[in-house]
């Protein structure tokens, strides 16, 4: 019986993930009513930016240069969003499959880094970058509030997925760890959306708070 693993999914799932992230990038252009070229640009940097940054930092050939179908998928997604149109509720609906893509890409990015024998900490960072850097680049380019400045549990979910995979791999094997990391990150992200979970905000620092109490 074949082992179920996130690491052996067919390429079609990878293309679907790129298309999903690319669609969120095109929506940033839609909110400002840009032309089709801008739609395609935002779709490409969002869909491919995280993986490209990972490959550059790891000194590897950029994945979409070796597989230009990835580039075509992202560009076509941008054009389709421009043609079909965009409504705010479309963005909200995409949040659910986005939680799946976020966690899957975090695991796959961490796995690619581990295959190059980098340290576990670096592999976790590469997983987080793979899943989130495209969105960060999109927000900075579009002049929108970045997910880095949002208390919403998003980057944290990618961190949980990547860390779960990297920590679990030597303990339970890569295949099982990929599913555990994916489920943990996706579950956290979905729960955060359902129950409105956020990270605690800055409150002046623990030591400063104690000092004020002492006075």
């Amino acid at each position: 019986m074949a082992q179920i693993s996130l690491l052996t999914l067919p390429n079609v799932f990878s293309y679907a993930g790129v298309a999903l992230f690319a669609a969120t990038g095109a929506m940033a252009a839609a909110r400002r009513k840009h032309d089709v070229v801008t739609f395609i640009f935002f779709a490409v940097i969002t869909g491919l930016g995280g993986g490209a940054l990972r490959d550059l930092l790891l000194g590897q050939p950029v994945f979409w240069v070796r597989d230009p179908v990835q580039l075509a998928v992202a560009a076509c997604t941008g054009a389709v969003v421009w043609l079909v149109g965009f409504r705010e509720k479309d963005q909200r609906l995409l949040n659910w499959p986005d939680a799946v893509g976020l966690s899957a890409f975090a695991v796959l990015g961490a796995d690619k880094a581990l295959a190059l024998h980098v340290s576990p900490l670096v592999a976790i960072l590469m997983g987080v970058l793979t899943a989130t850097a495209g969105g960060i680049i999109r927000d900075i380019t579009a002049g929108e509030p970045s997910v880095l400045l949002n208390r919403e549990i998003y980057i944290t979910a990618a961190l949980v997925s990547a860390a779960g995979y990297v920590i679990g791999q030597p303990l339970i094997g890569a295949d099982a760890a990929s599913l555990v990391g994916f489920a943990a990150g996706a579950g956290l992200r979905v729960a955060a959306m359902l129950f409105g979970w956020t990270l605690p905000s800055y409150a002046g620092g623990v030591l400063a708070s104690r000092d004020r109490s002492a006075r």
Side-chain angles (χ1 to χ4, degrees):
M1 181 176 179
Q3 175 68 52
I4 299 174
S5 171
L6 190 69
L7 308 176
T8 56
L9 291 175
N11 278 344
V12 64
F13 288 98
S14 176
Y15 298 146
V18 168
L20 173 64
F21 287 155
T24 67
M27 287 176 181
R31 284 189 286 271
R32 286 165 172 74
K33 303 186 184 304
H34 282 295
D35 58 50
V36 65
V37 173
T38 307
F39 271 67
I40 292 173
F41 172 77
F42 274 104
V44 168
I45 63 172
T46 308
L48 307 178
L53 179 60
R54 174 204 63 214
D55 290 343
L56 290 171
L57 290 174
L58 292 173
Q60 297 298 300
V62 176
F63 74 102
W64 55 262
V65 175
R66 292 178 299 168
D67 182 11
V69 174
Q70 305 266 9
L71 177 60
V73 167
C76 289
T77 300
V80 168
V81 173
W82 184 79
L83 286 170
V84 172
F86 161 72
R87 295 169 295 179
E88 284 298 326
K89 73 174 185 178
D90 296 331
Q91 177 75 64
R92 293 193 294 272
L93 289 174
L94 277 180
N95 285 338
W96 303 101
D98 180 74
V100 175
L102 177 81
S103 302
F105 274 42
V107 169
L108 296 173
D111 177 69
K112 183 168 184 177
L114 283 179
L116 298 171
H117 308 291
V118 302
S119 72
L121 187 60
V122 171
I124 292 171
L125 176 60
M126 291 300 108
V128 173
L129 287 178
T130 302
T132 64
I136 294 171
I137 295 170
R138 173 202 64 211
D139 293 340
I140 293 173
T141 305
E144 295 185 344
S146 172
V147 291
L148 286 173
L149 301 177
N150 194 333
R151 290 171 52 208
E152 182 181 0
I153 294 177
Y154 188 80
I155 293 176
T156 305
L159 177 62
V160 167
S161 285
Y165 173 68
V166 171
I167 294 171
Q169 189 194 46
L171 300 176
I172 58 176
D175 292 325
S178 71
L179 297 178
V180 169
F182 167 75
L188 175 61
R189 174 63 178 148
V190 169
M193 289 190 292
L194 286 174
F195 303 113
W197 293 350
T198 61
L199 295 177
S201 60
Y202 176 67
V206 175
L207 295 179
S209 299
R210 289 178 178 175
D211 183 58
R212 287 193 296 270
S213 299
R215 294 177 186 176

